[in-house]
Amino acid sequence: MTIARMCSPMRTWERPMDRCFRIFPCLADPGRRSSLCLKVALVTIHLVYAGVLFLFDGDLIEKTKKEPWYTALYLLLFVGTLIQYFATSLSSPGYVLDAMMTVHDRNVAYKKTPDTSSQSASSKNGSFVVSMEENLLGSSTISWSKLVSDLYPLGSSIRTWTCTYCNVEQPPRAKHCHDCDKCVLQFDHHCVWLGNCIGQGNHCKFWWYLFEETALCLWTGVLYISYLKDHITRIWWQDAILILLLITLSVWLIFLLLLLLFHRGIPERVHPFSRGVRKNLFYFCCTRSAVYRFEPLPTTQEIEEKSRPYTCSDALTCRCC
């Protein structure tokens, strides 16, 4: 009886949780539940910063009446930043398994269509486009293992590019994410705040989000400083709240700036996969996220060529572009 009484409160607590999990199955997964809590926390932080500003600063309300465009631009950036956050969080980073399925479906579609002998290296398959380097496809169909092996130098062992966790062949720059338990193309990192990996499929969206978030933090900081400059001695508890929020905002701003300026350290001037500034910007910002790009490892001669310092003749021949 004593044991039953001790266990009864736990059972009473588990019943509503079980009902909640049945209504919202995503909450049953601890990983998704923590990711959802982080998203709610981030949106709440944004609302607190903007809400406190409009609640305390009466001059901002008067300025809004006189110059509505100023506040409209701020609110537009505020909403756009949150939209970009969720767009990045919900986007696919480019999983290796999805690329494998796309290549497989493309081969199946080719075999069913007899008049496709002149099919190009970039072939549409639904909403996806499998894009490979020009010299990779000797025929119109190619297996995933053959495709990956052609991306590595001759003589490389299959063990060097096979994932030891999910047992799939990884193209160059792919890496297994232990948080998502999947291999990601051009894996950069797993963002805890987004609850998502950053890879080939959403790297551009991630950097646009960082840019918008940084701009929003800077603008909000300017508004906070302007208010404190004009009302620093009026109501002490309001000033204390705003100063505390401003200090926290400064920490977030430093963190965002470091993320924007962060890049992986490569010895000297060697950037093995660099195509030049112009092409790098094009592939990074203008290529659709549904395009799978498989880049072969550069040879030793190519790395030595890219590591050579730039000269005036290189600028004329657009080597650095």
Side-chain angles (χ1 to χ4, degrees):
M1 294 295 294
T2 305
I3 297 176
R5 290 178 181 177
M6 293 176 62
C7 294
S8 58
M10 182 62 68
R11 293 179 179 176
T12 305
W13 170 257
E14 288 178 351
R15 288 177 182 175
M17 294 296 295
D18 291 338
R19 293 178 182 176
C20 182
F21 292 157
R22 291 174 184 176
I23 299 175
F24 303 101
C26 61
L27 296 179
D29 185 4
R32 292 186 178 182
R33 188 163 61 247
S34 61
S35 177
L36 180 61
C37 292
L38 286 174
K39 290 180 175 63
V40 173
L42 188 135
V43 173
T44 303
I45 291 173
H46 281 73
L47 293 176
V48 167
Y49 272 93
V52 168
L53 185 64
F54 282 94
L55 182 64
F56 290 173
D57 194 353
D59 294 340
L60 183 60
I61 304 299
E62 295 297 327
K63 186 176 182 179
T64 301
K65 295 178 181 179
K66 297 178 181 179
E67 300 176 352
W69 60 269
Y70 183 83
T71 305
L73 288 176
Y74 177 79
L75 293 177
L76 182 63
L77 178 61
F78 181 87
V79 175
T81 301
L82 291 180
I83 292 176
Q84 188 67 26
Y85 168 78
F86 283 103
T88 308
S89 176
L90 299 175
S91 61
S92 172
Y95 294 114
V96 174
L97 286 176
D98 293 339
M100 290 177 60
M101 291 300 300
T102 303
V103 172
H104 173 74
D105 294 342
R106 170 187 175 275
N107 292 336
V108 172
Y110 170 79
K111 293 178 181 179
K112 291 182 179 180
T113 307
D115 299 330
T116 55
S117 57
S118 61
Q119 190 174 4
S120 62
S122 297
S123 60
K124 294 184 178 180
N125 180 22
S127 60
F128 295 93
V129 178
V130 181
S131 176
M132 285 155 277
E133 297 297 316
E134 295 179 358
N135 59 348
L136 290 181
L137 291 179
S139 61
S140 296
T141 61
I142 186 170
S143 66
W144 178 258
S145 298
K146 179 65 168 60
L147 188 153
V148 174
S149 63
D150 288 344
L151 297 173
Y152 290 91
L154 293 176
S156 300
S157 173
I158 190 173
R159 293 183 179 181
T160 60
W161 66 72
T162 301
C163 178
T164 57
Y165 296 96
C166 50
N167 199 32
V168 298
E169 293 92 350
Q170 296 176 331
R173 306 173 72 181
K175 186 178 178 181
H176 186 86
C177 175
H178 296 281
D179 296 280
C180 298
D181 198 25
K182 293 181 181 179
C183 289
V184 180
L185 296 171
Q186 296 184 17
F187 177 82
D188 188 84
H189 70 284
H190 184 89
C191 182
V192 178
W193 281 101
L194 290 170
N196 195 11
C197 282
I198 305 301
Q200 184 186 102
N202 59 0
H203 206 172
C204 181
K205 293 179 181 178
F206 175 70
W207 286 110
W208 274 114
Y209 163 68
L210 287 181
F211 177 78
E212 294 176 14
E213 191 72 71
T214 303
L216 182 62
C217 286
L218 284 172
W219 199 340
T220 305
V222 169
L223 293 175
Y224 270 62
I225 293 173
S226 299
Y227 172 82
L228 290 173
K229 184 179 178 181
D230 297 333
H231 309 86
I232 190 63
T233 59
R234 292 190 179 181
I235 305 176
W236 69 268
W237 61 270
Q238 290 186 3
D239 296 340
I241 293 176
L242 288 171
I243 291 174
L244 180 61
L245 291 176
L246 184 59
I247 293 174
T248 308
L249 183 66
S250 301
V251 175
W252 281 110
L253 183 58
I254 294 173
F255 178 72
L256 288 170
L257 289 174
L258 289 176
L259 278 177
L260 280 175
L261 299 176
F262 172 80
H263 60 87
R264 291 175 180 170
I266 299 178
E268 299 179 355
R269 299 171 60 90
V270 182
H271 299 273
F273 294 94
S274 175
R275 300 168 178 261
V277 177
R278 179 174 53 84
K279 290 184 179 179
N280 286 342
L281 289 175
F282 173 78
Y283 281 103
F284 185 77
C285 299
C286 302
T287 307
R288 290 182 300 165
S289 59
V291 176
Y292 293 117
R293 300 185 304 277
F294 304 107
E295 301 170 308
L297 279 177
T299 62
T300 304
Q301 292 78 8
E302 291 175 339
I303 294 178
E304 292 178 354
E305 176 66 20
K306 292 180 179 180
S307 64
R308 181 170 56 85
Y310 293 125
T311 61
C312 295
S313 59
D314 292 330
L316 293 176
T317 57
C318 299
R319 172 176 171 249
C320 57
C321 297

